[in-house]
Amino acid sequence: MTEVSIERLTKTFGGARAVDGISIRIADGEFISLLGPSGCGKTTTLKMIAGFEEASEGAIRFDGKDVVNVPAEKRDIGMVFQNYALFPHMTVVQNLAFGLEMRKIAKPEMLSRIAEVLDMVQLGGYSDRYPNQLSGGQQQRVALARALVIEPKILLLDEPLANLDAKLREEMRVFIRDLQRRVGITTVYVTHDQAEAMTMSDRVVVMFGGRIAQIGAPSDIYERPENLEVAQFVGQVNLVKGTILGGTITGAAGPGKSRVASVFGEVAVDSRTDHAPGAAVTLSLRPEAIELKTASQGGAQGKVTARYYSGSIIDYRIALDSGETLHVQTFPNIRIAEGDRVSVHAPADGFWLLGAAK
């Protein structure tokens, strides 16, 4: 397949920088997601990789060859759009044949490729149907098949699950990821949905304001965010105030961990930066890392102010006696009601030091 290298890529619109000098190296066969809020530059980046948008500055290399000045039709990419962009007057087979006919592929090979890719996306019996005779998930698979049948070097997907209902989105996440692994194609996926990015990607590129905030494995993005903005965007998070204590804890806690005083007592916390003793800092603590117990069992004390049942988990809001409010998630077997007094416990490895308090 293909390695993609993006170097200092920039796109300006009327003086405003939609993409501001980003650099990413995507390995052969890797699945990368560009994740961020609307207007962060992720779709513009994808369009520049595809050749649908002209780069203002920087380089885009496919296997070392700069393709910035290569037209889209000669970049050998497969593209799946949010609205699928299927031809409504063509059958499934005709939709898939269109790109092959444009490439002047001989009919025997064309039919062989189409049959193979339809089996791959589990639509072998749907070849003569029109798009309006297919469900949303089936249309999505036809769009994937059409992108793959031309045997592109790179697969690009622009929020392809946005129009599906929640259950079908979950099914399609698994389907697309499994298909990508079987085919082994280098893939760039654009989404604003954190769950999609986390469950599907080898690495996630978090973007804000046209710049990259963090690149890493999903576990790194979630458990070790590089800044407050990433921590708050990816999943739910509690921000806990803390104060750096002198020295570090060694031994069981591990060397080089900062000693931090917090409402949970003294904790040993990993971080990517050093802070002087007495510095006010912010710790991140994910809701599922917290354990609730009866008020008589030590820990930080508080009261349940809200309880939301959602099937697999229960969401709580806990007002601590210290004045802070925590978001806590537990399994439904935990029987705690609104108004109950509780003690709140968190393991040391549940904290992450984000940086100086703001």
Side-chain angles (χ1 to χ4, degrees):
M1 292 299 172
T2 302
E3 179 184 273
V4 179
S5 181
I6 296 169
E7 302 167 8
R8 301 179 302 280
L9 190 64
T10 299
K11 178 63 182 180
T12 58
F13 293 102
R17 292 193 168 220
V19 178
D20 192 2
I22 67 170
S23 296
I24 313 167
R25 185 176 294 275
I26 306 169
D28 180 1
E30 187 175 20
F31 193 120
I32 284 272
S33 285
L34 306 181
L35 173 67
S38 297
C40 72
K42 57 189 185 294
T43 294
T44 301
T45 299
L46 194 78
K47 288 180 177 179
M48 286 191 285
I49 296 172
F52 300 149
E53 198 73 68
E54 183 180 350
S56 302
E57 298 175 28
I60 302 168
R61 303 185 193 279
F62 294 174
D63 285 335
K65 178 185 176 182
D66 193 347
V67 297
V68 161
N69 296 316
V70 175
E73 65 272 16
K74 294 185 178 179
R75 292 196 187 186
D76 200 6
I77 58 101
M79 185 90 184
V80 180
F81 300 92
Q82 181 175 333
N83 63 359
Y84 316 143
L86 300 176
F87 298 117
H89 62 288
M90 293 183 180
T91 64
V92 169
V93 164
Q94 290 168 338
N95 266 279
L96 268 60
F98 182 80
L100 298 174
E101 290 169 347
M102 295 293 289
R103 289 164 174 77
K104 303 188 185 305
I105 302 298
K107 190 167 185 178
E109 182 182 350
M110 182 189 306
L111 295 176
S112 175
R113 283 203 205 179
I114 290 172
E116 182 181 358
V117 79
L118 282 178
D119 284 341
M120 193 182 298
V121 299
Q122 301 170 16
L123 288 173
Y126 294 78
S127 57
D128 293 328
R129 296 196 187 185
Y130 290 89
N132 64 2
Q133 297 174 313
L134 302 173
S135 68
Q138 289 166 342
Q139 290 181 44
Q140 175 62 269
R141 283 185 275 161
V142 173
L144 277 169
R146 187 177 61 180
L148 292 171
V149 75
I150 61 173
E151 298 181 355
K153 292 180 179 179
I154 301 161
L155 179 62
L156 307 177
L157 302 101
D158 186 12
E159 304 213 40
L161 308 184
N163 294 327
L164 303 180
D165 62 55
K167 190 174 189 307
L168 191 51
R169 275 204 308 272
E170 291 184 12
E171 293 173 358
M172 287 303 301
R173 286 176 201 161
V174 175
F175 181 85
I176 291 173
R177 182 52 165 148
D178 286 349
L179 179 63
Q180 187 269 340
R181 283 173 171 159
R182 277 185 278 133
V183 176
I185 189 170
T186 306
T187 301
V188 183
Y189 189 99
V190 162
T191 183
H192 64 273
D193 187 310
Q194 299 97 325
E196 281 182 22
M198 302 294 278
T199 57
M200 298 174 71
S201 312
D202 294 311
R203 286 188 298 153
V204 177
V205 180
V206 184
M207 296 180 66
F208 299 112
R211 297 183 178 183
I212 293 173
Q214 186 171 351
I215 302 177
S219 58
D220 287 332
I221 299 293
Y222 187 77
E223 298 170 12
R224 294 172 287 279
E226 291 191 356
N227 54 56
L228 181 63
E229 200 170 20
V230 173
Q232 291 181 306
F233 184 75
V234 180
Q236 301 292 326
V237 68
N238 295 293
L239 303 178
V240 178
K241 298 175 183 177
T243 303
I244 297 291
L245 301 174
T248 58
I249 297 177
T250 59
K257 291 179 179 283
S258 298
R259 296 171 59 235
V260 181
S262 75
V263 69
F264 292 91
E266 181 181 315
V267 291
V269 184
D270 281 320
S271 76
R272 289 191 172 93
T273 54
D274 294 325
H275 298 273
V281 294
T282 299
L283 308 178
S284 68
L285 178 64
R286 297 295 183 182
E288 68 277 8
I290 301 172
E291 183 180 5
L292 297 181
K293 297 182 179 180
T294 60
S296 61
Q297 293 182 273
Q301 302 294 300
K303 179 181 178 180
V304 178
T305 59
R307 179 184 185 273
Y308 305 101
Y309 178 83
S310 59
S312 59
I313 61 169
I314 298 178
D315 275 296
Y316 293 96
R317 299 297 183 272
I318 312 296
L320 297 180
D321 294 346
S322 61
E324 297 177 301
T325 299
L326 293 180
H327 176 193
V328 180
Q329 292 179 341
T330 72
F331 293 115
N333 61 322
I334 306 297
R335 301 297 181 184
I336 296 172
E338 281 189 26
D340 284 356
R341 294 282 303 172
V342 292
S343 62
V344 184
H345 301 258
D349 61 3
F351 295 93
W352 177 251
L353 204 162
L354 287 171
K358 293 184 179 180

